Coordinates of all heavy atoms in Angstrom, one line a residue:
A33 N 6.2 20.1 -17.5 CA 5.5 20.4 -16.3 C 4.7 21.7 -16.4 O 3.5 21.7 -16.0 CB 6.5 20.5 -15.1
E34 N 5.3 22.7 -17.0 CA 4.5 23.9 -17.2 C 3.3 23.7 -18.1 O 2.2 24.3 -17.8 CB 5.4 25.0 -17.8 CG 6.5 25.5 -16.8 CD 7.2 26.7 -17.4 OE1 7.3 26.8 -18.6 OE2 7.7 27.5 -16.6
D35 N 3.5 22.9 -19.1 CA 2.4 22.7 -20.0 C 1.2 21.9 -19.4 O 0.1 22.1 -19.6 CB 2.9 21.9 -21.3 CG 3.8 22.8 -22.1 OD1 3.8 24.0 -22.0 OD2 4.6 22.2 -22.9
L36 N 1.6 20.9 -18.6 CA 0.6 20.0 -18.0 C -0.1 20.6 -16.7 O -1.2 20.3 -16.5 CB 1.3 18.7 -17.6 CG 1.7 17.7 -18.7 CD1 2.6 16.6 -18.1 CD2 0.5 17.1 -19.4
Y37 N 0.7 21.4 -16.0 CA 0.2 21.9 -14.7 C 0.3 23.5 -14.7 O 1.1 24.1 -14.0 CB 1.0 21.3 -13.6 CG 1.2 19.8 -13.7 CD1 2.3 19.2 -14.1 CD2 0.1 19.0 -13.3 CE1 2.5 17.9 -14.2 CE2 0.2 17.6 -13.4 CZ 1.4 17.1 -13.8 OH 1.5 15.7 -13.9
A38 N -0.6 24.1 -15.4 CA -0.6 25.6 -15.5 C -0.8 26.2 -14.2 O -0.1 27.2 -13.8 CB -1.7 26.0 -16.5
E39 N -1.7 25.6 -13.3 CA -1.9 26.2 -12.0 C -0.7 26.1 -11.1 O -0.4 27.0 -10.2 CB -3.1 25.6 -11.3 CG -3.0 24.2 -10.8 CD -3.2 23.1 -11.8 OE1 -2.6 23.2 -12.9 OE2 -3.8 22.1 -11.4
V40 N 0.1 25.0 -11.3 CA 1.3 24.8 -10.5 C 2.4 25.8 -10.9 O 3.0 26.5 -10.1 CB 1.8 23.4 -10.6 CG1 3.2 23.2 -10.0 CG2 0.8 22.4 -10.1
A41 N 2.5 26.0 -12.3 CA 3.5 26.9 -12.8 C 3.2 28.3 -12.3 O 4.0 29.1 -12.0 CB 3.5 26.8 -14.3
A42 N 1.9 28.7 -12.3 CA 1.5 30.0 -11.9 C 1.8 30.2 -10.4 O 2.1 31.4 -10.0 CB 0.0 30.2 -12.1
S43 N 1.8 29.2 -9.6 CA 2.1 29.3 -8.2 C 3.6 29.3 -7.9 O 4.0 29.7 -6.9 CB 1.4 28.2 -7.4 OG 0.0 28.3 -7.4
G44 N 4.3 28.8 -8.9 CA 5.8 28.8 -8.7 C 6.3 27.5 -8.3 O 7.5 27.2 -8.5
S45 N 5.5 26.6 -7.7 CA 6.0 25.3 -7.2 C 4.7 24.5 -6.9 O 3.6 25.0 -6.6 CB 6.9 25.4 -6.0 OG 6.1 25.8 -4.9
L46 N 4.9 23.1 -6.9 CA 3.9 22.3 -6.5 C 3.5 22.5 -5.0 O 2.3 22.4 -4.7 CB 4.3 20.8 -6.7 CG 3.2 19.7 -6.4 CD1 1.9 20.0 -7.1 CD2 3.8 18.3 -6.7
A47 N 4.5 22.7 -4.2 CA 4.2 23.0 -2.8 C 3.3 24.2 -2.6 O 2.3 24.2 -1.9 CB 5.5 23.2 -2.0
A48 N 3.6 25.3 -3.3 CA 2.8 26.5 -3.2 C 1.4 26.3 -3.8 O 0.4 26.8 -3.2 CB 3.5 27.6 -4.0
A49 N 1.3 25.5 -4.9 CA 0.0 25.2 -5.4 C -0.9 24.4 -4.5 O -2.1 24.6 -4.3 CB 0.2 24.5 -6.8
L50 N -0.3 23.4 -3.8 CA -1.0 22.6 -2.8 C -1.5 23.5 -1.7 O -2.7 23.4 -1.3 CB -0.1 21.5 -2.3 CG 0.2 20.3 -3.3 CD1 1.3 19.5 -2.7 CD2 -1.0 19.5 -3.5
D51 N -0.6 24.3 -1.2 CA -1.0 25.2 -0.1 C -2.2 26.1 -0.5 O -3.1 26.4 0.2 CB 0.2 26.1 0.3 CG 0.8 25.5 1.6 OD1 0.1 24.9 2.4 OD2 2.0 25.8 1.8
A52 N -2.1 26.7 -1.8 CA -3.1 27.6 -2.3 C -4.5 26.9 -2.4 O -5.5 27.5 -2.0 CB -2.7 28.2 -3.6
V53 N -4.5 25.7 -2.9 CA -5.7 24.9 -3.0 C -6.3 24.6 -1.6 O -7.5 24.7 -1.4 CB -5.5 23.7 -3.8 CG1 -6.8 22.8 -3.8 CG2 -5.2 24.0 -5.3
A54 N -5.4 24.3 -0.7 CA -5.8 24.0 0.7 C -6.5 25.2 1.3 O -7.6 25.1 1.9 CB -4.7 23.5 1.5
V55 N -5.9 26.3 1.1 CA -6.5 27.6 1.7 C -7.9 27.8 1.1 O -8.8 28.2 1.8 CB -5.6 28.7 1.5 CG1 -6.3 30.1 1.9 CG2 -4.3 28.6 2.3
Q56 N -8.0 27.6 -0.2 CA -9.3 27.9 -0.9 C -10.4 27.0 -0.4 O -11.6 27.4 -0.4 CB -9.1 27.6 -2.4 CG -8.2 28.7 -3.1 CD -7.9 28.2 -4.5 OE1 -8.4 27.2 -5.0 NE2 -7.0 29.0 -5.2
H57 N -10.0 25.8 0.1 CA -11.0 24.9 0.6 C -11.1 24.8 2.1 O -11.7 23.8 2.6 CB -10.8 23.5 -0.1 CG -11.1 23.5 -1.5 ND1 -10.2 24.0 -2.5 CD2 -12.2 23.1 -2.2 CE1 -10.7 23.8 -3.7 NE2 -11.9 23.3 -3.6
G58 N -10.4 25.7 2.8 CA -10.5 25.7 4.2 C -9.7 24.6 4.9 O -10.1 24.1 6.0
L59 N -8.7 24.1 4.2 CA -7.9 23.0 4.8 C -6.5 23.4 5.1 O -6.1 24.5 4.7 CB -7.8 21.8 3.7 CG -9.2 21.3 3.2 CD1 -9.0 20.3 2.1 CD2 -10.0 20.7 4.4
S60 N -5.8 22.6 5.8 CA -4.4 23.0 6.2 C -3.5 21.8 6.0 O -3.8 20.7 6.3 CB -4.4 23.3 7.7 OG -3.1 23.5 8.2
L61 N -2.3 22.1 5.3 CA -1.3 21.1 5.0 C 0.0 21.3 5.8 O 0.9 20.6 5.6 CB -1.1 21.1 3.5 CG -2.2 20.8 2.6 CD1 -1.8 20.7 1.2 CD2 -2.9 19.5 3.0
G62 N 0.1 22.3 6.6 CA 1.3 22.6 7.3 C 2.3 23.2 6.4 O 2.0 23.8 5.4
G63 N 3.6 23.0 6.7 CA 4.7 23.6 5.9 C 5.1 22.7 4.8 O 6.1 22.0 4.8
V64 N 4.3 22.7 3.7 CA 4.6 22.0 2.5 C 5.9 22.5 1.9 O 6.1 23.7 1.8 CB 3.5 22.0 1.4 CG1 3.7 21.1 0.3 CG2 2.1 21.7 2.1
H65 N 6.7 21.5 1.4 CA 8.0 22.0 0.8 C 8.3 21.0 -0.4 O 7.7 20.0 -0.5 CB 9.1 22.0 1.8 CG 9.4 20.7 2.5 ND1 8.7 20.2 3.6 CD2 10.2 19.6 2.2 CE1 9.1 19.1 4.0 NE2 10.0 18.7 3.1
A66 N 9.3 21.4 -1.2 CA 9.6 20.6 -2.3 C 10.4 19.3 -1.9 O 11.2 19.3 -0.9 CB 10.5 21.3 -3.3
L67 N 10.1 18.2 -2.5 CA 10.8 16.9 -2.2 C 12.2 17.0 -2.8 O 13.1 16.6 -2.2 CB 10.0 15.7 -2.8 CG 10.6 14.4 -2.7 CD1 10.7 14.0 -1.2 CD2 9.8 13.3 -3.4
E68 N 12.3 17.5 -4.0 CA 13.6 17.7 -4.7 C 13.7 19.2 -5.1 O 12.9 19.7 -5.8 CB 13.7 16.8 -5.9 CG 13.7 15.3 -5.5 CD 13.8 14.4 -6.8 OE1 14.1 15.0 -7.8 OE2 13.6 13.2 -6.7
T69 N 14.7 19.8 -4.6 CA 14.9 21.3 -4.9 C 15.1 21.5 -6.4 O 14.8 22.6 -6.9 CB 16.0 21.9 -4.2 OG1 17.2 21.1 -4.5 CG2 15.8 21.8 -2.7
S70 N 15.5 20.5 -7.2 CA 15.7 20.6 -8.6 C 14.5 20.5 -9.4 O 14.4 20.8 -10.6 CB 16.8 19.6 -9.1 OG 16.3 18.3 -8.9
S71 N 13.4 20.1 -8.8 CA 12.1 19.9 -9.5 C 10.9 20.4 -8.7 O 10.1 19.6 -8.3 CB 11.9 18.4 -9.8 OG 12.0 17.6 -8.7
P72 N 10.9 21.7 -8.4 CA 9.8 22.2 -7.5 C 8.4 22.2 -8.2 O 7.4 22.2 -7.4 CB 10.3 23.7 -7.3 CG 11.1 24.0 -8.5 CD 11.8 22.7 -8.8
L73 N 8.4 22.1 -9.5 CA 7.1 22.0 -10.1 C 6.5 20.6 -10.1 O 5.3 20.4 -10.3 CB 7.1 22.4 -11.6 CG 7.5 23.9 -11.9 CD1 7.5 24.2 -13.4 CD2 6.6 24.8 -11.1
T74 N 7.3 19.6 -9.8 CA 6.8 18.2 -9.9 C 7.0 17.4 -8.6 O 6.7 16.2 -8.6 CB 7.5 17.4 -11.0 OG1 8.9 17.5 -10.8 CG2 7.2 18.0 -12.4
S75 N 7.4 18.0 -7.5 CA 7.6 17.3 -6.3 C 7.2 18.1 -5.1 O 7.5 19.3 -5.1 CB 9.0 16.7 -6.1 OG 9.9 17.7 -5.9
A76 N 6.6 17.5 -4.1 CA 6.3 18.2 -2.8 C 6.2 17.2 -1.7 O 5.9 16.0 -1.9 CB 5.0 19.0 -3.0
V77 N 6.3 17.7 -0.5 CA 6.2 16.9 0.7 C 5.2 17.6 1.6 O 5.4 18.7 2.0 CB 7.5 16.7 1.4 CG1 7.3 15.9 2.7 CG2 8.5 15.9 0.5
V78 N 4.2 16.8 2.0 CA 3.2 17.3 3.0 C 3.6 16.8 4.4 O 3.6 15.5 4.6 CB 1.8 17.0 2.6 CG1 0.8 17.5 3.7 CG2 1.4 17.5 1.3
P79 N 3.9 17.6 5.4 CA 4.4 17.0 6.7 C 3.3 16.3 7.4 O 2.1 16.8 7.4 CB 4.8 18.3 7.4 CG 4.1 19.4 6.8 CD 4.0 19.1 5.3
S80 N 3.6 15.2 8.0 CA 2.6 14.5 8.8 C 2.3 15.2 10.1 O 3.2 15.9 10.7 CB 3.2 13.1 9.1 OG 2.3 12.4 10.0
G81 N 1.1 15.1 10.6 CA 0.8 15.6 11.8 C 0.6 14.6 13.0 O 0.3 15.0 14.1
V82 N 0.9 13.3 12.6 CA 0.8 12.3 13.6 C 2.1 11.4 13.6 O 2.7 11.3 12.6 CB -0.4 11.4 13.4 CG1 -1.7 12.1 13.6 CG2 -0.4 10.8 12.0
A83 N 2.4 10.9 14.8 CA 3.7 10.3 15.0 C 3.9 9.0 14.2 O 5.0 8.6 13.8 CB 4.0 10.0 16.4
V84 N 2.8 8.3 13.9 CA 2.8 7.0 13.3 C 2.8 7.1 11.8 O 2.8 6.0 11.1 CB 1.7 6.1 13.8 CG1 1.9 5.8 15.3 CG2 0.3 6.7 13.5
R85 N 2.8 8.3 11.2 CA 2.8 8.4 9.8 C 4.0 9.3 9.4 O 4.2 10.3 10.0 CB 1.5 9.0 9.3 CG 0.3 8.1 9.4 CD -0.9 8.8 8.9 NE -2.1 7.9 9.2 CZ -3.4 8.2 9.0 NH1 -3.6 9.4 8.4 NH2 -4.3 7.4 9.2
D86 N 4.7 8.9 8.3 CA 5.7 9.8 7.7 C 5.1 10.9 6.9 O 3.9 10.9 6.6 CB 6.6 9.0 6.9 CG 7.4 7.9 7.6 OD1 7.4 8.0 8.9 OD2 7.9 6.9 7.0
D87 N 5.9 11.8 6.4 CA 5.4 12.9 5.5 C 4.9 12.2 4.2 O 5.4 11.2 3.8 CB 6.5 13.8 5.2 CG 7.0 14.6 6.5 OD1 6.3 14.6 7.5 OD2 8.1 15.2 6.4
L88 N 3.9 12.9 3.6 CA 3.3 12.4 2.4 C 4.1 13.0 1.2 O 4.2 14.2 1.1 CB 1.9 12.7 2.3 CG 1.1 12.2 1.2 CD1 0.8 10.7 1.4 CD2 -0.2 12.9 1.0
A89 N 4.5 12.1 0.3 CA 5.1 12.5 -0.9 C 4.1 12.7 -2.0 O 3.2 11.9 -2.2 CB 6.2 11.5 -1.4
V90 N 4.2 13.8 -2.8 CA 3.4 14.1 -3.9 C 4.3 14.3 -5.1 O 5.2 15.2 -5.1 CB 2.5 15.3 -3.7 CG1 1.6 15.5 -4.9 CG2 1.7 15.2 -2.4
I91 N 4.1 13.5 -6.2 CA 5.0 13.6 -7.4 C 4.1 13.8 -8.6 O 3.1 13.0 -8.8 CB 5.8 12.3 -7.6 CG1 6.7 12.0 -6.3 CG2 6.7 12.5 -8.8 CD1 7.7 13.1 -6.1
A92 N 4.4 14.8 -9.4 CA 3.6 15.0 -10.6 C 4.4 14.4 -11.8 O 5.6 14.6 -12.0 CB 3.5 16.5 -10.8
S93 N 3.7 13.7 -12.6 CA 4.3 13.0 -13.8 C 4.5 14.1 -14.9 O 3.8 15.1 -15.0 CB 3.3 12.0 -14.3 OG 3.7 11.5 -15.6
T94 N 5.6 13.9 -15.7 CA 5.8 14.8 -16.8 C 5.4 14.1 -18.1 O 5.6 14.6 -19.2 CB 7.3 15.1 -16.9 OG1 8.1 14.0 -16.9 CG2 7.7 16.0 -15.7
D95 N 4.8 12.9 -18.0 CA 4.3 12.2 -19.2 C 2.8 12.5 -19.5 O 2.4 12.6 -20.6 CB 4.4 10.7 -19.1 CG 5.9 10.3 -19.0 OD1 6.7 10.9 -19.7 OD2 6.2 9.4 -18.2
E96 N 2.0 12.7 -18.4 CA 0.6 13.1 -18.5 C 0.2 13.7 -17.2 O 1.0 13.7 -16.2 CB -0.2 11.8 -18.8 CG -0.1 10.8 -17.6 CD -1.0 9.5 -17.9 OE1 -2.1 9.7 -18.3 OE2 -0.5 8.4 -17.7

Side-chain angles (χ1 to χ4, degrees):
E34 287 189 335
D35 294 341
L36 288 168
Y37 310 104
E39 76 276 46
V40 173
S43 295
S45 69
L46 179 55
L50 289 167
D51 258 337
V53 172
V55 170
Q56 290 171 7
H57 290 80
L59 304 175
S60 174
L61 299 183
V64 187
H65 58 276
L67 178 62
E68 297 179 11
T69 56
S70 61
S71 53
L73 295 184
T74 56
S75 71
V77 174
V78 178
S80 171
V82 293
V84 295
R85 294 180 185 175
D86 297 343
D87 297 344
L88 184 76
V90 183
I91 304 294
S93 170
T94 55
D95 295 323
E96 59 181 316

